Amino acid sequence: MAEKTRDGIKSGPAGRPCDENFDACLDSPEFLNLLQHRFAPPASSPGPSKQKPSEEPATKKPKTGPQNLKGASKGNFMRVPSELLALGCVGATTKGHRLCFDYNLRRCKLPVKDQRCGKGLHLCAVKGCRKMHMAVECPDKGNAAREHGYRVLPVDCKRNRHKPRCRIVSLDLSEAHAWEVLEYIVDTCDVVAVHLAPKKTSFLSNRSGIHMMQKFCGDVEPHEHAPWGISADGGFATALEAQYPDAMCEQLVKFVDELCSDKGIKISPASLQQPRAHRCLFEHLTKSPMDLVKLRIQRLKLWTSWARDLAKDESEYKLTLDPRVRAVLGAKRLLLMKKVAEEIGWPDTELFSELATGFRLVGNATRSNVFQQGLKAATLSEEQLMRDAKFLKPALLGKIRASGGGEHSSALYDITEKLLPFERSAEILGVVFDLGLSSEGRVSISNKPSRVEELNDALLGILNEKFVIPTSMPSVLGKLQYAVVLEESQLKAFETLRCRLCSGRPKTSLADDVEKPVLIFTDGALEYEGDAAKATIGGVSLKPDGACEVFGCAVPDDVLKRWQDGGKTHVIGLVELYACVVSLLHWKPDVSSRRVILFVDNWPALDVLVKGTSLQPEWRELLLLLEDPVEDNFMLWIARVPSASNVADHPSRGSLKELEFLRPYKCVQPFCPVTKLPLKSTVC
């Protein structure tokens, strides 16, 4: 596609270039070659085990612990207090860690470290919860309504002394504010039932279906009542039985289910009830990617025209807003947003009025019709809050001072302090960004010392053992699929990596003026004179200032023979890669820290250059020649060029007459990176 759209992809009178060439690309030999079946890899022999041959197999250690002793039970016996049993609590986590019962009953006074005291973990003991709150405050304990898809708002007077099974909202129904809160909840939430339980042992309802609750104690579930009297903590013993039994809760939820069924109410997620969501899903499932792009462009054009039409009204409207609100909104276009919302049927119709006037910090919030309405009821009216603020504020500040902070408070203060001067360097995910020379337009990037030390130790171990065990490698080096014995080229790669990490200079980026990149074209040729193979390479360098350098050289015979060992004859890929390596090493000093585009007309060579490695040892050896830890690198981009457009094609075949349009150019003679000797020129 890049080759066929070299003139650009901007739409023209004939249409979009990408659309016109799409079918041709699908039928191209390059693409069809990628779709061909490949030979299955040969059956691999069992790789060496992770254990060295000289070591004896490790003896399996027997498990120890009380759970493995003869006659011992599977876990330590812990008697859960009856108060917690009534809440559906357990004594330990699924991994056997003991839970602190006193914490879950709000009466633990032992010192706590790492969410644990001497009696156990300070986590919720309700079965399946394990969150960082007490069991008596857990919203999930014994909540049968929640399991059936309902949300419950339990309301009670704070003067009641019984222990509830869920979080209670304390409201005094003798005050007018309490009824205002309840009325607001009924108006803004999808309330399906209101359940009243007066002081007497009866329910108050306007539905005859409540008669299904007429059951005796023995009809619910076998249980025993606590005796009358005073409990050990000084409260009434019967206070523990104020909550409803589980079976009674299930029966009450069944009554609500029948009530919803009679009213035709379906309990389902709010997101599935949005017709806009259905419409968007339908478009994505029925339209092609190109149709979706066209649809989005059409909508963006429509909204852009609306923005132009509303520009004057937007300016006049913002002048009517409070200056503080206007400063916060900045360049946001409220009228345009409101019109778009109306066009798509956005359910929150009050949003833009609140954006203009500001959102309330206290009091009742307006219903969004987008998010599920919260059930957190206000225990104080706004008037009560303002009246009691002069007492609440000192009490709150005094409570904060008395807490003294936790063990991490000082460290938290240090890392969140915003008045310290800016550092010249910063560490992000193990990488150090040094801005010490930013005034000169230079930014250096390097690994942090601790990471270098860790990697150096790991790489030294690999080089000494000549063996890699995946589980022993640091995570930053990645994971291999199996243990391997390293070859010579692989050992050299690890050694180069170690040198680059430990002795290589930091990577420096220059914030210079944007300039055109240096262009380097390479090519290789492999021809036969009888049975004798002859390999040649060529390269052309074009700099932004117009300077041009050219070379055409023969590949040394001993290098070519080494590539052809083992019966390999057509090694054109290696010749093409060799041309790239020679070109990059020769022109590397002239293009240090600059942008370079390397053009190659051979796909395998381009592929391994991008990856930086190859499964073939001969290819990998050539790639390793490009790695030099002490030299600065350039910013390289590699692209393919067709042979017909490759200006290095003729120099690689010993001819320069086709490059007259590049004059004046300079003929250069590079060195062979393998033999370290000058290459024999075929053009100079």
Side-chain angles (χ1 to χ4, degrees):
M1 181 65 73
E3 292 296 332
K4 295 182 179 298
T5 57
R6 294 174 66 89
D7 295 333
I9 60 174
K10 187 176 181 180
S11 299
R16 295 184 177 88
C18 291
D19 295 344
E20 296 174 1
N21 296 286
F22 187 77
D23 292 337
C25 291
L26 291 181
D27 296 334
S28 64
E30 292 88 348
F31 179 75
L32 295 177
N33 182 51
L34 297 175
L35 299 181
Q36 291 181 358
H37 295 287
R38 296 186 177 184
F39 291 106
S44 58
S45 58
S49 62
K50 298 181 181 179
Q51 192 165 335
K52 300 178 184 178
S54 59
E55 295 180 355
E56 296 183 359
T59 304
K60 186 176 180 181
K61 297 182 179 180
K63 295 183 179 180
T64 59
Q67 66 275 19
N68 295 289
L69 298 178
K70 185 176 181 180
S73 61
K74 292 187 177 181
N76 296 331
F77 176 75
M78 289 172 283
R79 186 181 298 277
V80 181
S82 58
E83 300 97 318
L84 295 180
L85 285 177
L87 302 179
C89 296
V90 294
T93 66
T94 54
K95 294 185 178 181
H97 299 293
R98 185 186 178 96
L99 298 169
C100 178
F101 300 141
D102 287 344
Y103 164 77
N104 282 277
L105 293 173
R106 205 187 287 109
R107 61 192 184 197
C108 181
K109 298 181 180 179
L110 298 178
V112 180
K113 183 178 181 181
D114 298 332
Q115 208 68 24
R116 180 190 294 270
C117 72
K119 293 185 177 180
L121 292 173
H122 278 211
L123 297 175
C124 180
V126 175
K127 186 175 182 180
C129 182
R130 304 295 178 268
K131 296 180 181 178
M132 291 188 291
H133 53 239
M134 305 173 189
V136 294
E137 299 178 355
C138 180
D140 297 329
K141 53 184 178 298
N143 200 332
R146 184 185 299 273
E147 297 174 359
H148 286 255
Y150 299 101
R151 292 190 300 161
V152 179
L153 179 67
V155 178
D156 202 352
C157 180
K158 61 182 178 181
R159 293 189 295 271
N160 284 352
R161 292 173 293 181
H162 66 269
K163 293 180 174 60
R165 297 191 64 174
C166 54
R167 189 185 298 274
I168 298 294
V169 177
S170 298
L171 288 178
D172 190 348
L173 299 184
S174 63
E175 298 179 358
H177 162 67
W179 292 100
E180 293 175 0
V181 171
L182 295 177
E183 183 179 359
Y184 165 75
I185 292 176
V186 172
D187 291 339
T188 58
C189 299
D190 297 324
V191 178
V192 297
V194 178
H195 167 63
L196 300 177
K199 186 65 176 178
K200 296 181 180 180
T201 56
S202 60
F203 289 160
L204 182 62
S205 176
N206 60 351
R207 295 285 176 173
S208 59
I210 195 68
H211 292 300
M212 69 171 58
M213 302 299 300
Q214 291 181 345
K215 290 181 177 294
F216 289 99
C217 199
D219 299 332
V220 177
E221 56 187 8
H223 63 280
E224 296 182 1
H225 289 280
W228 292 90
I230 304 298
S231 62
D233 58 358
F236 291 103
T238 54
L240 299 176
E241 298 184 336
Q243 69 273 4
Y244 297 163
D246 291 339
M248 185 176 180
C249 295
E250 292 288 346
Q251 191 74 359
L252 185 58
V253 171
K254 187 180 297 184
F255 162 66
V256 178
D257 285 340
E258 293 186 2
L259 181 62
C260 293
S261 178
D262 294 340
K263 293 183 178 181
I265 301 175
K266 295 182 179 180
I267 307 300
S268 60
S271 60
L272 297 180
Q273 299 174 359
Q274 296 290 344
R276 181 66 186 175
H278 290 167
R279 194 156 57 249
C280 290
L281 286 173
F282 176 79
E283 290 178 353
H284 280 75
L285 293 174
T286 57
K287 295 183 180 297
S288 66
M290 185 58 65
D291 291 337
L292 288 175
V293 171
K294 293 179 180 178
L295 181 62
R296 291 169 182 170
I297 293 176
Q298 179 183 359
R299 288 174 179 169
L300 287 175
K301 288 182 178 179
L302 176 63
W303 295 347
T304 303
S305 65
W306 289 352
R308 289 194 298 265
D309 298 340
L310 295 172
K312 183 178 179 180
D313 295 338
E314 290 276 8
S315 302
E316 296 176 354
Y317 178 66
K318 286 188 176 180
L319 295 177
T320 64
L321 302 179
D322 186 278
R324 294 167 295 181
V325 176
R326 190 163 59 244
V328 172
L329 291 177
K332 292 181 176 63
R333 305 173 183 179
L334 290 185
L335 297 182
L336 175 62
M337 294 168 61
K338 185 176 182 180
K339 187 168 184 177
V340 172
E342 293 173 351
E343 189 264 341
I344 66 175
W346 187 253
D348 191 354
T349 57
E350 301 296 327
L351 173 62
F352 304 99
S353 299
E354 292 180 313
L355 285 173
T357 59
F359 294 92
R360 295 174 59 87
L361 298 180
V362 295
N364 298 325
T366 56
R367 182 168 181 171
S368 69
N369 295 318
V370 177
F371 304 104
Q372 191 177 38
Q373 189 73 10
L375 289 179
K376 190 172 181 61
T379 57
L380 292 176
S381 64
E382 295 182 56
E383 294 76 12
Q384 290 174 321
L385 176 63
M386 300 307 297
R387 185 178 64 247
D388 299 342
K390 58 182 179 180
F391 305 109
L392 295 175
K393 183 177 180 180
L396 179 61
L397 294 176
K399 185 177 181 180
I400 295 175
R401 294 191 190 98
S403 64
E407 57 179 331
H408 305 297
S409 58
S410 58
L412 179 63
Y413 177 81
D414 293 338
I415 63 178
T416 56
E417 179 60 57
K418 302 298 189 296
L419 301 180
L420 296 177
F422 288 101
E423 296 288 345
R424 304 298 294 179
S425 63
E427 179 185 314
I428 304 174
L429 298 177
V431 179
V432 178
F433 290 83
D434 189 356
L435 305 177
L437 298 177
S438 58
S439 59
E440 302 178 7
R442 294 177 179 269
V443 178
S444 298
I445 305 173
S446 60
N447 289 293
K448 67 177 183 179
S450 59
R451 170 172 287 186
V452 172
E453 183 178 355
E454 176 190 5
L455 294 177
N456 184 42
D457 294 341
L459 293 173
L460 280 176
I462 293 173
L463 292 172
N464 293 333
E465 300 292 338
K466 299 183 180 181
F467 191 82
V468 175
I469 299 178
T471 56
S472 66
M473 298 178 66
S475 58
V476 290
L477 283 178
K479 297 292 184 183
L480 301 178
Q481 294 182 355
Y482 43 81
V484 294
V485 178
L486 299 179
E487 302 174 356
E488 189 64 31
S489 61
Q490 294 171 328
L491 288 172
K492 185 178 179 181
F494 275 105
E495 177 61 30
T496 302
L497 176 59
R498 192 189 71 83
C499 293
R500 182 175 290 279
L501 284 170
C502 301
S503 59
R505 293 183 297 178
K507 176 68 176 179
T508 301
S509 298
L510 297 178
D512 54 356
D513 296 333
V514 178
E515 61 179 358
K516 294 180 180 179
V518 177
L519 306 182
I520 297 178
F521 293 82
T522 65
D523 192 27
L526 180 64
E527 298 176 352
Y528 288 87
E529 297 178 357
D531 294 335
K534 180 182 178 182
T536 54
I537 60 173
V540 177
S541 171
L542 299 173
K543 296 182 180 179
D545 58 2
C548 177
E549 292 184 352
V550 181
F551 75 82
C553 302
V555 178
D557 293 338
D558 55 343
V559 175
L560 183 59
K561 289 179 181 179
R562 187 187 309 174
W563 293 342
Q564 292 180 326
D565 285 345
K568 301 175 183 176
T569 57
H570 197 65
V571 290
I572 183 61
L574 282 169
V575 177
E576 295 275 4
L577 180 60
Y578 181 78
C580 298
V581 173
V582 170
S583 300
L584 291 175
L585 291 179
H586 178 77
W587 283 306
K588 193 173 187 178
D590 299 334
V591 296
S592 177
S593 300
R594 297 182 63 177
R595 299 173 180 86
V596 178
I597 300 180
L598 176 67
F599 290 100
V600 190
D601 65 357
N602 181 270
W603 281 113
L606 184 148
D607 186 42
V608 298
L609 283 169
V610 172
K611 292 180 180 178
T613 187
S614 172
L615 295 177
Q616 303 300 323
E618 296 85 2
W619 293 67
R620 191 162 57 243
E621 289 175 359
L622 285 178
L623 293 172
L624 286 173
L625 296 174
L626 295 174
E627 300 292 337
D628 192 340
V630 298
E631 288 189 6
D632 193 9
N633 291 325
F634 40 77
M635 291 173 281
L636 180 64
W637 181 267
I638 307 172
R640 187 182 182 276
V641 59
S643 297
S645 303
N646 190 356
V647 294
D649 180 67
H650 299 290
S652 70
R653 302 179 187 276
S655 176
L656 293 180
K657 63 181 181 180
E658 294 84 1
L659 302 185
E660 290 296 324
F661 69 97
L662 292 178
R663 286 189 178 274
Y665 54 75
K666 178 182 177 182
C667 284
V668 296
Q669 186 177 15
F671 279 74
C672 174
V674 180
T675 63
K676 310 301 181 185
L677 298 175
L679 290 173
K680 181 181 178 181
S681 176
T682 59
V683 294
C684 300

